[in-house]
Amino acid sequence: MGHAGMAAAAVRYLRSAGEPRTAGPVDPLPRPDLRAVGDDERAPIDPAEFRRVLGNFATGVTVITAPAPATTPDSAPGTPSGTPSGFACQSFAALSLDPPLIAFMVARTSTTWPRIARAGVFCVNVLGAHQGDLCRRFAVSGSDKFAGVDHEPSPVSGSPRLAGATAWIDCAVHAVHTGGDHLIVVGRVNALGTPDPDPDGNGGAPLLFHRGRFGDFTA
């Protein structure tokens, strides 16, 4: 798929900024050849070296979740046709205050992203320092990631809000852009909060990822 084709496909993700609550599901982008340079161009930087150097930038860790698919005609009343979706994500950032937007990056080869795209909504769960094992659970494909995990629906989208997270951000998919072998997903924030009653919003210590290892913050 050429750049024009990718851009056209990405446009399908665009959401109306004026009607964030009425936006519906989006179609996942196809999985084309992920090579971002031509065969006659300079070879890209060695991936191992890229990971080593960029690993010096410490990040927080999140789990992006989406609700189970809606019931089907063959389902019993109130029975979801499937399970919620979720994956561990460290490529997350605040993007805009007005309107309130956040962004995360996901690999175009992800098997979880298409399910989140079809839902059209998601919740960002900011993990605490004690949730390294939970992060590992959501970083593995091909398993029931939610088995035994305590969670409740977020207030607007119904996406799983994980117990113990230091913060949660309930969003609708606002736009999706291609970025090499990843997608840049922009979310419109509809609700957010922390479980801590502290009026200053000071929750527990965050889970950090640095040089391939989990750690925590020490003041």
Side-chain angles (χ1 to χ4, degrees), residues 8-213:
V11 167
R12 295 198 299 269
Y13 286 87
L14 292 176
R15 298 196 164 284
S16 171
E19 300 180 357
R21 294 174 184 267
T22 62
V26 295
D27 294 328
L29 284 172
R31 296 181 184 175
D33 182 355
L34 298 182
R35 183 172 172 79
V37 296
D39 291 336
D40 59 342
E41 294 183 69
R42 178 179 59 83
I45 294 171
D46 177 66
E49 179 67 0
F50 185 88
R51 289 173 181 265
R52 185 190 70 78
V53 174
L54 271 294
N56 286 278
F57 179 64
T59 68
V61 184
T62 71
V63 170
I64 310 294
T65 61
T71 57
T72 65
D74 297 330
S75 302
T79 302
S81 57
T83 59
S85 304
F87 72 99
C89 177
Q90 68 182 93
S91 299
F92 165 79
L95 180 62
S96 168
L97 185 61
D98 184 16
L101 302 174
I102 56 86
F104 70 85
M105 277 63 81
V106 59
R108 289 168 66 185
T109 54
S110 169
T111 58
T112 302
W113 164 246
R115 299 182 65 188
I116 296 175
R118 283 191 289 270
V121 293
F122 61 90
C123 183
V124 180
N125 295 270
V126 181
L127 300 189
H130 61 292
Q131 295 182 301
D133 288 342
L134 183 65
C135 178
R136 293 183 184 92
R137 171 189 285 266
F138 279 90
V140 177
S141 300
S143 62
D144 184 359
K145 301 175 184 179
F146 288 88
V149 175
D150 188 15
H151 62 86
E152 63 182 2
S154 53
V156 179
S157 73
S159 302
R161 191 168 63 182
L162 305 181
T166 62
W168 56 271
I169 307 157
D170 197 7
C171 304
V173 176
H174 180 73
V176 178
H177 309 280
T178 56
D181 57 9
H182 275 60
L183 297 173
I184 304 167
V185 182
V186 179
R188 175 91 178 220
V189 179
N190 290 324
L192 75 172
T194 69
D196 194 324
D198 183 339
D200 293 328
N202 296 319
L207 180 66
L208 300 180
F209 191 73
H210 180 243
R211 294 183 177 178
R213 297 181 180 182

